[in-house]
Each structure stands twice: as C-alpha cells, then as structure tokens.
Amino acid sequence: MPAIVAVRGSADLNLLGKAVPGAAVHEIHTLEEADPEQARTADVLVLRSGVRLGAAQLPDWPALRHVIRAGSGLDGIDTSALAARGIALHRNTGPAAYAVAEWALVALLSLARRIPYGQAALAAGEHAKTACLTEPVSRMRLAIWGAGPVGRACGRLLRPHVRELAYAARPSVPAHLPQRPADTLPAWADSHLVALPLGPQTMRLFGGGFLSAARHRSPLLICVGRLGTLDLPACLEALACGDLSGLALDPIDQDDLALLPTGGPPLNLLATPHIGAQRTDVRSALDAWVASTAHRVLTPTGSQAR
C-alpha cells in the first residue's frame, strides 16, 4: 500500500485519498515532528514553502521516491541531495504567479500613495495628511529583479500603470522583455520589485551596496520573492531615514516576526504573512494538481508507476 505524507497546508487530504484509493495519507505539522514510522514508509512527501529537506533529513525517509512541491519555490529543498537518492521532484510554477502579481500591484499603489504610513500615523494619534503628498505611479520607472513566472506576471500586470519598466539583465531573462544592466537600475528606477529565488548569489543582495547606490532616488522596494534576498535590518534603517520611501514585504513567515519593528515612528511599511498566493482559485488549482500528480506517480496507469 503506497503512503503519502503531506505537510499541513500543502494539500487537500480528501482529494489525495480519492486520487490514490487505498493509499495511506498522513498530515504532519513539520518534518521534525513526523511520526518515525510514517517517515520510514512514505513513498511521497508533499511540501509547502518554508520546509527544509536535504541531506540531514533524508535518512529519516528511506522509502521516499517523490517530493511534490505545491508551488514553485525551492528554498530549503536540496535538489542535489534528492537527485543523489533518485528522488523525483515535482513542482507547479503556474497557478500562483498572477495572484502574487496582484499583491505586487496593491503594494505598489499602496506605497506610492503612502497608505501604510498614513495608517500607522493615525494609529499613533497623528494626522499626517500633508506627509502623504506624492507623485503619481504613472510617472514612475519600475525595475523588476527576476524574470521567472512571478516576475513575468508582475511585469505584465504592472506595466500599464508605470511610466517605464525594465528587468535586471541576466542571461536567463527572455530576450523580448525590456532589460537594463543591473548596476544601472539603482540610479534609474523609482521603484524596485524583487522576485528572485534565494541562493548564494542573491542572499542579502538588497543591502548596503544597493541602498547606497539608490539613495538619491529614495525608491520604493517591494519583495515578492524570498525575504533573505533583502538585508532587512539595513532596509528598515534606510526606510526610517528616508533612503527608501516605502518598503513592502509579503514573504513574512512565523520565524520572521521578530525582525519587524514594533513601536517607533510611523513608517511607510507594508508587511503581510506570505499571502501573495492566498487565493481560493490558486489553492484549488494546486490541490487538484497535487492530487493528480500523486495519482500519476503511484498508480499502475501513471507514467512513473511503482
């Protein structure tokens, strides 16, 4: 009997059970809290964002043959370790992209109109109307860092609202997209949207060097990728002193709460608990895809049957 283990929030257990009749389907909170017997016998592991799976964890999952990532991000997943064990990785990059782009548009408009600042000032007992006088978004230049599914969706949705848009030039950026050399963007753009994966080259990329180069434009900075691509303390300091005019952060997970400022003067800061893809249609599409993928890899009629 095949066994499927899903981290809470990564799958609809009822759909999984219907897709693979006879399978043992288990839900866990974290890999660390998994029942040892369930881990030992699992054929399929379904993950959401924020889960670490690599060489340190894999010995606890000796029967594992498939990892299904309900989304696109690979942060925390050691793909080399999976490949060395012959474990197939399945992920779906499509359904969430436009939902995240929708969040990015809300963030751009909110920061540009200084709505988070106005709200924070009111909560502190201040009426800061005059501090919320701004230039229109239609006069802004927008730089997008990252041209994966999310970055491209953001470009398509935000382009009609801004004056100019350019992607940070990289070999992987499709040739038809408008591009500028990355080192010229801090001096060019009024707003920056970060849609990069987290890796050695992108870790804290938006820190002291970027902030210094962009300071004279006092730009908006919007992160829809991974929080680790920002040097968050440096960005918050830049926001407080005016070197950034606005900061929007969606990928806030439970462990990141301590990084956010409490008290102090009002800031033009929008922070949300990783809700970019939290739409019912996206959730339904991903749940259906996870179930169909489990069916495909575990049933005799699937292309990778047991």
Side-chain angles (χ1 to χ4, degrees):
M1 178 175 65
I4 304 170
V5 173
V7 174
R8 175 166 290 184
S10 67
D12 182 318
L13 301 192
N14 289 328
L15 281 181
L16 274 176
K18 293 177 181 178
V20 191
V25 180
H26 307 286
E27 183 177 70
I28 59 175
H29 289 276
T30 67
L31 296 192
E32 292 73 22
E33 297 175 5
D35 178 275
E37 181 63 16
Q38 293 176 4
R40 187 184 68 80
T41 59
D43 299 281
V44 172
L45 178 61
V46 188
L47 302 179
R48 54 168 173 74
S49 62
V51 178
R52 185 168 298 279
L53 178 65
Q57 294 79 25
L58 285 174
D60 295 331
W61 303 79
L64 191 63
R65 297 186 292 115
H66 300 276
V67 170
I68 301 175
R69 167 69 174 94
S72 61
L74 293 176
D75 302 339
I77 300 177
D78 187 336
T79 56
S80 297
L82 295 186
R85 272 271 306 271
I87 299 171
L89 175 63
H90 313 268
R91 60 180 180 140
N92 191 341
T93 63
Y98 273 99
V100 176
E102 186 178 72
W103 184 95
L105 177 59
V106 170
L108 176 66
L109 296 174
S110 296
L111 293 186
R113 295 301 305 274
R114 296 183 63 79
I115 291 173
Y117 177 87
Q119 171 65 26
L122 288 175
E126 303 176 26
H127 192 273
K129 178 178 179 178
T130 57
C132 296
L133 182 66
T134 65
E135 291 287 329
V137 172
S138 59
R139 295 181 185 174
M140 285 188 171
R141 290 170 170 168
L142 172 64
I144 297 182
W145 302 74
V150 169
R152 296 196 302 273
C154 287
R156 286 191 289 269
L157 189 59
L158 273 59
R159 176 64 188 92
H161 300 276
V162 298
R163 173 186 167 192
E164 291 183 75
L165 180 149
Y167 286 83
R170 301 178 67 183
S172 59
V173 177
H176 70 276
L177 295 178
Q179 302 176 45
R180 286 178 174 267
D183 59 359
T184 69
L185 291 178
W188 177 82
D190 304 295
S191 53
H192 297 264
L193 189 146
V194 182
L196 291 168
L198 185 62
Q201 294 182 327
T202 61
M203 179 77 73
R204 292 186 290 277
L205 178 63
F206 297 87
F210 167 83
L211 294 168
S212 178
R215 178 180 297 128
H216 77 285
R217 298 198 73 93
S218 188
L220 307 177
L221 181 58
I222 300 167
C223 181
V224 299
R226 294 295 181 245
L227 195 64
T229 58
L230 274 58
D231 181 340
L232 188 55
C235 289
L236 289 170
E237 183 178 346
L239 180 64
C241 73
D243 288 348
L244 288 177
S245 60
L247 178 63
L249 311 166
D250 178 51
I252 301 296
D253 290 318
Q254 185 74 33
D255 294 341
D256 302 321
L257 293 179
L259 301 175
L260 297 177
T262 56
L267 296 172
N268 196 28
L269 172 66
L270 174 64
T272 55
H274 218 150
I275 64 171
Q278 288 293 95
R279 268 186 4 199
T280 56
D281 59 325
V282 174
R283 185 70 264 165
S284 295
L286 286 174
D287 286 343
W289 173 81
V290 167
S292 66
T293 301
H295 171 83
R296 175 169 57 84
V297 302
L298 288 177
T299 60
T301 56
S303 60
Q304 300 180 53
R306 190 180 180 92

